[in-house]
Amino acid sequence: MTSVPTPIPSRTQFVLEGIKSRILTGQLSPGQALVETDLAAQFGVSKTPVREALKTLAGTGLVVMSQYKGVTVRMVDADMAREVYDVRLLLEPEALRRTVQRRASLDEARSALERSDTATDTAQRSLANREFHRALYVPCGNPLLGRMLDEVRDQAALVSAVAWAADPSWEREATEHREILELALAGDAQGASRALRDHIASFVQRAFPEAREEEGEQHS
């Protein structure tokens, strides 16, 4: 008998999405303490939905719960960036290759790219960027592969938020996104996959060069 996931109560979901949005847009920075009473007052709820939301966010890797420090936004360093982007490099280009091979619709990816181009703030652009990447891998024909990539999606966005705050590189990434989509729309599965892999690899190498150096030492 298959168990059915317990739905998240609406107040908890409201708080969850609110905290996640603040983390991924940089309003809450890595290492910042998340105090239940403060968050409850900000969102106009009791501490219970806040506590449940923080537990869920801890499960996705966006926050860290410590017996001594309480709850804090997860710190981003070269090790974390390498771990998260290593998973993306292994899975995301293959998912896109399958999406293109099965000639799945890429309308959602095109729409996300247009929203990114017309975004008026960092929050909108960040959300559109995440939606673009998801629209490339979700139609791959393997729901499990899509869910695996969804699991690292928020952590990847946290890495991106920190990198963009230090060195905005929106224009370069937008150009790379257009190239990836053009190859995919042309039916070039291998070319689109390679372009996506180069895009993911170059981002983490630019944002966290120490991750690249440490990886090189491990392979030498």
Side-chain angles (χ1 to χ4, degrees):
M1 183 177 178
T2 304
S3 61
V4 178
T6 304
I8 299 176
S10 58
R11 286 191 178 184
T12 301
Q13 188 66 43
F14 167 68
V15 175
L16 173 65
E17 293 301 327
I19 297 174
K20 180 193 288 188
S21 176
R22 294 182 186 187
I23 292 173
L24 298 182
T25 56
Q27 295 177 55
L28 292 171
S29 53
Q32 186 169 340
L34 300 174
V35 182
E36 287 183 11
T37 51
D38 292 347
L39 291 169
Q42 291 171 26
F43 288 103
V45 298
S46 68
K47 290 198 296 182
T48 299
V50 173
R51 187 177 301 118
E52 293 304 313
L54 291 175
K55 287 179 182 177
T56 300
L57 289 170
T60 65
L62 282 184
V63 307
V64 176
M65 305 184 95
S66 167
Q67 181 179 354
Y68 305 103
K69 295 183 179 180
V71 184
T72 57
V73 179
R74 183 173 180 178
M75 293 293 293
V76 175
D77 57 19
D79 286 338
M80 177 198 174
R82 184 175 59 247
E83 289 172 6
V84 171
Y85 275 71
D86 189 38
V87 172
R88 291 188 66 191
L89 285 169
L90 288 169
L91 301 181
E92 202 167 326
E94 173 62 18
L96 174 58
R97 186 183 70 80
R98 295 184 180 200
T99 293
V100 177
Q101 281 190 329
R102 64 195 301 263
R103 300 181 181 179
S105 172
L106 291 167
D107 289 346
E108 289 296 324
R110 195 202 310 266
S111 176
L113 193 57
E114 291 172 355
R115 288 196 297 277
S116 178
D117 289 340
T118 59
T120 56
D121 59 36
T122 301
Q124 291 179 5
R125 196 175 286 117
S126 176
L127 181 59
N129 177 74
R130 297 173 67 216
E131 290 172 345
F132 173 78
H133 278 273
R134 190 169 192 272
L136 296 179
Y137 67 71
V138 164
C140 71
N142 185 327
L144 177 58
L145 179 55
R147 288 196 297 272
M148 290 172 71
L149 283 163
D150 274 347
E151 286 186 8
V152 298
R153 187 167 171 245
D154 287 344
Q155 294 180 53
L158 179 57
V159 173
S160 299
V162 171
W164 287 327
D167 181 22
S169 54
W170 297 108
E171 292 303 321
R172 174 171 177 170
E173 286 159 52
T175 299
E176 292 172 356
H177 283 176
R178 283 189 284 271
E179 178 188 355
I180 293 165
L181 185 58
E182 286 172 6
L183 289 166
L185 290 172
D188 185 351
Q190 295 294 348
S193 178
R194 281 195 302 270
L196 178 58
R197 191 187 191 289
D198 290 344
H199 167 69
I200 295 170
S202 66
F203 178 82
V204 75
Q205 287 167 5
R206 291 196 308 271
F208 296 89
E210 60 269 39
R212 181 183 182 184
E213 291 168 5
E214 290 170 11
E215 186 175 358
E217 290 173 1
Q218 289 176 3
H219 290 295
S220 60

